Amino acid sequence: MARLDQVITNIVDIFLEYADDEGKKTQLNKDELKKVLEQEIQSPELKSKINADDIEQAMEMLDKNHDGEVNFREFCRCVSDLAKCYYQKKTGKGGKRHKGKEPEGGQED
């Protein structure tokens, strides 16, 4: 299997494996999310971005629809954010500089 194929199937498989522990089978509750973060993220750089020790903060950050659980879309957003953090660390690029701001020397209407 190609590397990207493997990454995509792993993301889906990990979500489904942990979401199936208890509660709704298509969402991660707080305990399931904590297990995912503890067991599936080992890199110190990534652990510093989202921490199983502060599960309340992690839930608040991920649970965008405020239903008390993390659905697959919210989980994918988390994985994407972690990938962006890793990319920024590896390349030194991709920060949010100037996002939503007029560039230096730009003209206002």
Side-chain angles (χ1 to χ4, degrees):
M1 186 179 289
R3 291 184 304 166
L4 193 52
D5 288 337
Q6 189 65 47
V7 169
I8 292 167
T9 57
N10 281 343
I11 290 169
V12 173
D13 290 345
I14 287 168
F15 179 83
L16 292 174
E17 176 184 332
Y18 287 91
D20 197 25
D21 282 354
E22 53 189 77
K24 296 178 185 175
K25 292 186 178 187
T26 59
Q27 298 194 55
L28 296 169
N29 64 30
K30 201 178 294 186
D31 292 334
E32 292 165 339
L33 178 62
K34 186 171 183 166
K35 286 180 192 176
V36 170
L37 298 179
E38 288 173 340
Q39 296 175 15
E40 301 296 337
I41 297 178
Q42 297 300 314
S43 162
E45 297 88 21
L46 298 179
K47 278 186 176 280
S48 73
K49 299 296 179 192
I50 187 163
N51 192 336
D53 293 336
D54 191 354
I55 194 64
E56 296 296 331
Q57 182 181 1
M59 280 298 287
E60 186 177 317
M61 184 172 71
L62 297 176
D63 183 19
K64 297 298 184 188
N65 64 359
H66 308 291
D67 66 351
E69 297 188 307
V70 174
N71 63 33
F72 186 68
R73 174 182 232 149
E74 293 164 335
F75 180 74
C76 286
R77 189 176 299 122
C78 172
V79 172
S80 175
D81 288 346
L82 290 171
K84 289 175 193 175
C85 289
Y86 181 71
Y87 175 82
Q88 290 170 4
K89 181 182 183 333
K90 194 162 178 114
T91 64
K93 297 180 181 179
K96 293 185 176 183
R97 290 174 281 156
H98 306 298
K99 185 172 182 177
K101 295 181 180 178
E102 185 70 27
E104 294 277 329
Q107 294 180 337
E108 293 188 40
D109 293 324

